Amino acid sequence: MSDTKSGDDNTLSVTPKKTLTLKRPGMEQGTVRQNFSHGRTKQVVVETKKRKFSMPGDKPEPVAAPVFTPKPAVVAAPVVQEAPKAPPPPPPPPVERSGMVLNELSRSEMEARRRALEGSKVREVEDRQRAAEDAKRRAEDEERRRREREESARRQAEEEARLQTEAESRRRAEEEARRRAPLAAELATVDDEEEVKPKRTGAGAPVRRPVTPEVARPAKPTKAEEDRRRGKLTLNSALSDEDARARSLSSMRRRQEKFKRAMHNEPREKVMREVILPETITIQELAQRMSERAVDLVKFFMKQGQILKPGDVIDADTAELVATEFGHTVRRVAESDIEEGLFNIADNAEDLVTRPPVVTIMGHVDHGKTSLLDAIRNANVVSGEAGGITQHIGAYQVEKNGHKITFIDTPGHAAFTAMRARGAQATDIAILVVAADDSVMPQTIESISHAKAAGVPIIVAINKIDKHDADPQKVRSELLRHEVFVESMGGEVLDVEVSATKGTNLDKLLEAILLQAEILDLKANPDRTAEGVVIEAQLDKGRGPVATVLVQTGTLMPGDILVAGNEWGRVRALVNDRGGQIKEAPPAMPVEVLGLQGTPQAGDRFAVVNNEARAREITEYRQRLAREKAVAKHAGQRGSLEQMMSQLQTSGLKEFPLVIKGDVQGSIEAINAALDKLGTDEVRARIVHAGAGAITESDVSLAETSGAAIIGFNVRANVQARAAAAAAGIEIRYYSIIYNLVDDVKAALSGLLSPERRETFIGNAQILEIFDITKVGKIAGCRVTEGKVERGAGVRLIRDNVVIHEGTLKTLKRFKDEVAEVPGGQECGMAFQNYEDMRVGDVIECFRVEMVTRTL
């Protein structure tokens, strides 16, 4: 405040005193935090402008007027005292300054801005507090981790010290024991046993142990350390700072050991292993089993002069050498060990229950086997077989007096020997069907041999007793010659006289079967995995590979994983002999199995395995064995083209190539066996390919390539195959009876045989005189001494019983006329073609040559 005194009049004017401030005059800046949605904020800069208040008689001076909190102007009193606060003056009218109009903000706007400023200050304080808390928590976590690391290092050091102390104490104890050993041998022995291996003889007997210095035990881990050892990382634990995951003690220890080895360049301690070696193994797999790097094995082979890749396969001998070189021990196992435990699993006696008998019907062709089974089943199977001949193994199940009986019908033709043998192997009882009017025949004898080889009891069914020429007693007598002693002849073999057409004594036959089954006491365990044998297999057009199997033990159900021979699959459905689907197949039940990957061979054993991996492993092993066997079989037949041509020229062997497709595996097997028997040293049938299923376009391509004929047995070619065969000019022949097929192939092979040269003697003539005629040459005057002489026939000139020349006659004259023949006792003139060295006394032999077609 200042006093101003004018010279004219004494007037006292009071001017307001300016407030001392460090802020920039005229304009001030501040910041305001703005809040938006989703938690976003933004700070903006605001400016504070000063406002002028005008007083009467003075020029208006600028007074600070903040935007948010305006302060009223203060006027000083004449005396030096604080002027009383006046109420805020009304808002002045807008002042126009330097072209700008400054309007006073309304009270509501000022109040809103004030609240916003206060809120921003509060939030700034909260942010500073939160930042301080975060920094404090991070510092605490860092301190906790540091303490844990120190604690871990301390425990590791204590553990190392304890181990070192124990090793030192053991070493001292061993030295003490060795030092005391010479003094008292017996006492030392007892003391050593007590110290090293303490034995407790009683309940409270003391145990002597070597004294070890007391070592401080490591502290029990805290809860946080246990949580860290647990090592389970979840979303909450990862986001929260309290349960931060740290490295485990084992990981830290491995890291420290690795660092020490790197510092001291120490090699890793080698681990010796027992390596299990199969028959073949890849280098990569061998390296994994030895815990070595595959690169090291490849380097080892390179040093030996072999360039191999990790995926290459080596044999067991090479693998054993490599493993021994790397310091490991080896245990060799056979690859066939994968089949261990697949078959012949022992069952407990208390788990066994009675099962139905499996009966095989065997005998000669046309003796009524299938008709007898039809009469038992009340069905008609014979009408469905071509020519009335059974060409497949049929399996059926019937029930008699509440007891089930499984029947297997086998073919009787000579070509189906292997099928009869399979039927005998899978059976419990063999029924030998012999026709009363035909008696014992070759296939009857063969069936007896199969049954005896399989060790199964025989029941003789003498069929066709209703015929007028039936003689059952003759059948019994002839069976004696083959060591089949029936009961009526003093033996133990049951015999029943039956008639399939009239249905006579069928009940007696079934009762005899049940009696024999009761004597055998057949049992099986149904509560285990199924095992059995494949009776027949075929490739069905709509259902895929279908196998007729006989369950021998266990229960087969849909969903089981089946291994049959070289094929496997998951059982998709089970179909019984009546064509209906069933849920399970108990022991001694024949069923059709659908779902296999391929068609197994008839006679293969099947078993149920636990998983698909084991099934694949077993089938791959078996397929590899089959391929190796096939390669070994054909290895001797291969050779260079020159060798093949020379062999063909020397041996003169001619082959008839064939592509055979059949309905089932058993038929193909029988056809192969029958065609093999047709071969001779000159001709034979060579089967290029044989398989079950319809004739396809690939079969036609194969036949075209190999120049073979196509034979279909109970199958047909599809449209594409027929078109391809017509375009290539390949004949497809269809058969439904094996007799006709064998006869046609036999005729074709006979056509390959070279015709036989047959020589017929005609007559002899003796030379009496030699005539030398100009322009004609030498002519022999002869007399026919035996037979006759014909012109155009072959002649030989024989001198002293030695053939001098063989050729044909140039001329044959009787006096001066050419004649066709000269009978015996007459004279004639003869001249040879291109030969004139004839002498008196030589004999001319006349003969005729014929080419006769041969047959097999």
Side-chain angles (χ1 to χ4, degrees):
M1 200 181 280
S2 62
D3 297 336
T4 304
K5 193 175 183 179
S6 62
D8 297 338
D9 52 357
N10 293 328
T11 58
L12 184 63
S13 62
V14 181
T15 60
K17 203 171 189 180
K18 294 183 180 179
T19 307
L20 297 177
T21 179
L22 297 177
K23 296 180 180 179
R24 188 160 54 108
M27 185 178 297
E28 294 182 0
Q29 288 185 350
T31 59
V32 175
R33 182 186 294 272
Q34 293 181 342
N35 293 326
F36 301 96
S37 62
H38 302 290
R40 295 181 296 148
T41 60
K42 181 180 179 182
Q43 287 188 349
V44 297
V45 179
V46 297
E47 296 180 351
T48 304
K49 292 186 178 181
K50 291 186 178 180
R51 208 171 113 194
K52 292 217 179 220
F53 291 91
S54 59
M55 294 197 60
D58 274 339
K59 294 182 180 179
E61 300 223 354
V63 179
V67 175
F68 298 109
T69 55
K71 295 180 181 180
V74 180
V75 180
V79 294
V80 184
Q81 289 181 356
E82 185 176 354
K85 294 182 180 179
V95 181
E96 187 174 321
R97 182 178 181 185
S98 64
M100 296 179 60
V101 180
L102 300 176
N103 296 325
E104 183 182 5
L105 298 173
S106 66
R107 288 181 178 274
S108 60
E109 293 176 347
M110 292 171 60
E111 185 65 23
R113 294 192 179 187
R114 183 183 63 78
R115 285 198 301 270
L117 184 60
E118 290 176 356
S120 65
K121 290 181 179 178
V122 171
R123 281 191 295 274
E124 288 178 359
V125 172
E126 291 177 353
D127 291 343
R128 284 195 295 272
Q129 291 177 355
R130 191 178 297 108
E133 291 175 359
D134 292 344
K136 182 179 179 182
R137 188 162 54 249
R138 284 194 295 271
E140 291 176 355
D141 291 343
E142 186 65 29
E143 180 65 20
R144 178 171 58 82
R145 294 193 187 96
R146 186 184 62 78
R147 286 198 302 270
E148 288 176 355
R149 288 194 294 270
E150 292 177 354
E151 180 68 18
S152 173
R154 183 183 63 79
R155 280 198 300 271
Q156 184 177 358
E158 290 177 353
E159 182 70 16
E160 292 177 355
R162 185 180 65 81
L163 293 176
Q164 186 175 2
T165 306
E166 289 181 355
E168 184 67 24
S169 63
R170 282 196 300 270
R171 186 181 60 80
R172 285 198 299 268
E174 291 173 358
E175 290 178 356
E176 182 68 19
R178 285 195 299 269
R179 185 178 58 80
R180 291 185 302 176
L183 301 177
E186 296 181 0
L187 182 60
T189 303
V190 174
D191 291 342
D192 289 341
E193 289 179 356
E194 290 179 352
E195 289 180 4
V196 179
K197 296 175 65 177
K199 295 183 179 179
R200 180 178 294 274
T201 57
V207 179
R208 298 180 60 186
R209 294 184 178 88
V211 180
T212 57
E214 189 70 24
V215 180
R217 294 186 177 182
K220 186 177 181 180
T222 61
K223 187 176 187 304
E225 190 172 351
E226 289 179 353
D227 294 340
R228 181 168 53 80
R229 284 177 178 273
R230 186 172 65 243
K232 183 177 181 182
L233 182 64
T234 61
L235 188 61
N236 294 331
S237 61
L239 295 178
S240 62
D241 293 333
E242 289 81 3
D243 297 334
R245 189 182 185 187
R247 296 174 68 92
S248 65
L249 294 179
S250 301
S251 176
M252 295 175 64
R253 190 175 294 114
R254 288 194 300 268
R255 187 176 180 182
Q256 291 175 357
E257 291 176 358
K258 184 177 180 181
F259 180 72
K260 288 179 181 178
R261 284 197 304 270
M263 292 295 294
H264 301 289
N265 197 15
E266 296 178 358
R268 181 186 291 271
E269 183 181 356
K270 191 173 183 63
V271 180
M272 301 304 175
R273 297 182 180 272
E274 183 184 31
V275 183
I276 299 175
L277 294 181
E279 295 177 1
T280 57
I281 190 173
T282 62
I283 295 178
Q284 183 71 40
E285 178 68 18
L286 179 61
Q288 292 177 359
R289 296 188 182 190
M290 295 193 306
S291 296
E292 304 282 353
R293 296 189 310 162
V295 178
D296 297 337
L297 269 69
V298 172
K299 291 179 180 178
F300 174 78
F301 281 109
M302 290 178 67
K303 291 179 181 178
Q304 305 299 322
Q306 293 180 337
I307 306 300
L308 297 177
K309 303 185 294 297
D312 290 341
V313 179
I314 57 177
D315 58 359
D317 296 333
T318 307
E320 183 176 1
L321 291 175
V322 173
T324 307
E325 188 69 24
F326 277 79
H328 302 281
T329 58
V330 174
R331 181 161 65 92
R332 297 277 290 269
V333 296
E335 201 171 7
S336 59
D337 292 345
I338 61 175
E339 294 187 349
E340 287 185 357
L342 191 64
F343 297 110
N344 303 324
I345 301 175
D347 295 318
N348 297 326
E350 59 270 12
D351 297 333
L352 300 178
V353 297
T354 304
R355 65 169 177 85
V358 179
V359 180
T360 299
I361 299 181
M362 309 174 74
H364 191 72
V365 63
D366 288 338
H367 275 203
K369 298 181 297 298
T370 306
S371 300
L372 181 62
L373 183 57
D374 288 348
I376 295 173
R377 295 180 61 232
N378 297 322
N380 187 8
V381 179
V382 171
S383 61
E385 295 286 356
I389 305 166
T390 300
Q391 318 203 48
H392 311 128
I393 289 185
Y396 315 98
Q397 197 168 48
V398 299
E399 190 168 346
K400 171 68 175 175
N401 298 331
H403 299 282
K404 290 184 178 181
I405 303 173
T406 300
F407 284 96
I408 298 178
D409 183 18
T410 62
H413 187 258
F416 296 96
T417 302
M419 297 175 73
R420 272 196 304 280
R422 279 200 304 275
Q425 290 170 1
T427 190
D428 302 317
I429 303 170
I431 293 183
L432 185 64
V433 179
V434 186
D437 61 340
D438 208 7
S439 193
V440 177
M441 298 297 284
Q443 272 71 59
T444 310
I445 302 170
E446 191 177 327
S447 300
I448 294 172
S449 302
H450 289 319
K452 288 184 176 180
V456 295
I458 298 175
I459 298 176
V460 178
I462 303 175
N463 196 15
K464 301 183 181 181
I465 62 170
D466 56 324
K467 288 194 173 184
H468 66 280
D469 55 348
D471 189 0
Q473 195 62 33
K474 179 184 176 184
V475 174
R476 296 186 181 97
S477 300
E478 291 192 4
L479 288 175
L480 290 176
R481 296 177 1 195
H482 304 286
E483 298 180 358
V484 177
F485 307 105
V486 297
E487 282 186 336
S488 60
M489 305 291 285
E492 297 180 353
V493 177
L494 300 174
D495 65 307
V496 183
E497 296 180 6
V498 297
S499 174
T501 56
K502 303 295 183 180
T504 307
N505 292 336
L506 296 183
D507 292 341
K508 289 185 178 180
L509 180 62
L510 295 178
E511 289 173 1
I513 294 172
L514 293 176
L515 176 62
Q516 188 68 53
E518 188 176 351
I519 295 173
L520 294 176
D521 191 20
L522 304 171
K523 290 186 177 182
N525 180 12
D527 302 325
R528 49 158 289 183
T529 57
E531 290 182 20
V533 63
V534 178
I535 297 177
E536 194 54 87
Q538 61 181 341
L539 187 63
D540 193 277
K541 184 176 181 181
R543 300 185 295 173
V546 179
T548 303
V549 303
L550 176 67
V551 182
Q552 293 176 321
T553 183
T555 302
L556 185 63
M557 292 182 289
D560 288 345
I561 300 173
L562 200 70
V563 175
N566 297 343
E567 305 295 339
W568 74 278
R570 188 180 292 274
V571 178
R572 196 169 69 241
L574 298 175
V575 182
N576 61 10
D577 58 329
R578 303 283 179 177
Q581 289 199 10
I582 57 177
K583 295 298 183 183
E584 61 180 16
M589 184 174 186
V591 289
E592 286 186 342
V593 176
L594 279 68
L596 293 175
Q597 301 287 332
T599 306
Q601 297 293 324
D604 288 340
R605 297 183 67 186
F606 77 86
V608 174
V609 296
N610 297 329
N611 49 43
E612 294 184 4
R614 178 165 166 76
R616 285 197 190 93
E617 191 177 10
I618 293 173
T619 53
E620 287 174 0
Y621 164 69
R622 292 180 174 177
Q623 289 169 3
R624 185 165 60 253
L625 280 187
R627 285 195 300 268
E628 292 174 356
K629 190 179 296 183
V631 169
K633 179 180 178 182
H634 295 292
Q637 302 176 2
R638 296 176 181 169
S640 63
L641 184 61
E642 292 80 3
Q643 292 174 348
M644 293 173 63
M645 294 301 294
S646 62
Q647 181 182 2
L648 189 61
Q649 289 175 359
T650 56
S651 64
L653 180 64
K654 295 180 181 179
E655 292 183 334
F656 183 39
L658 292 173
V659 173
I660 300 176
K661 295 301 287 290
D663 54 347
V664 293
Q665 287 286 348
S667 302
I668 296 167
E669 186 179 296
I671 292 170
N672 291 348
L675 296 183
D676 283 342
K677 293 179 181 178
L678 294 179
T680 63
D681 294 337
E682 295 184 43
V683 293
R684 69 181 179 91
R686 179 170 63 91
I687 298 175
V688 179
H689 171 67
I695 299 172
T696 60
E697 197 172 357
S698 60
D699 298 326
V700 177
S701 302
L702 179 60
E704 183 181 4
T705 304
S706 58
I710 300 177
I711 290 179
F713 187 78
N714 285 334
V715 295
R716 291 294 181 268
N718 55 26
V719 179
Q720 295 83 1
R722 287 199 299 269
I730 295 174
E731 183 183 9
I732 301 177
R733 309 199 72 172
Y734 302 109
Y735 297 94
S736 57
I737 301 176
I738 196 168
Y739 294 122
N740 301 337
L741 187 150
V742 174
D743 291 342
D744 284 1
V745 175
K746 188 175 182 179
L749 291 177
S750 299
L752 293 178
L753 289 172
S754 57
E756 183 181 359
R757 184 177 183 272
R758 187 173 297 174
E759 186 178 293
T760 304
F761 173 77
I762 299 177
N764 283 339
Q766 188 173 10
I767 300 177
L768 303 177
E769 189 66 40
I770 302 296
F771 304 98
D772 196 355
I773 301 175
T774 308
K775 297 182 180 180
V776 177
K778 288 184 178 181
I779 293 178
C782 307
R783 180 187 291 120
V784 179
T785 59
E786 185 180 358
K788 62 180 180 178
V789 178
E790 293 180 356
R791 188 175 60 182
V795 290
R796 293 191 185 97
L797 182 63
I798 300 174
R799 185 178 302 159
D800 297 331
N801 295 324
V802 176
V803 178
I804 302 300
H805 173 70
E806 182 175 342
T808 56
L809 288 177
K810 180 173 66 171
T811 179
L812 177 63
K813 287 187 177 186
R814 173 88 172 134
F815 299 108
K816 293 185 178 181
D817 300 327
E818 288 281 345
V819 294
E821 64 179 31
V822 178
Q826 296 184 0
E827 295 182 356
C828 62
M830 290 188 287
F832 286 88
Q833 188 80 28
N834 300 326
Y835 188 78
E836 295 183 349
D837 186 14
M838 297 175 290
R839 300 178 186 175
V840 178
D842 292 346
V843 177
I844 298 176
E845 184 185 73
C846 187
F847 61 90
R848 185 186 300 115
V849 176
E850 295 176 350
M851 304 303 290
V852 181
T853 303
R854 291 189 298 160
T855 58
L856 290 175

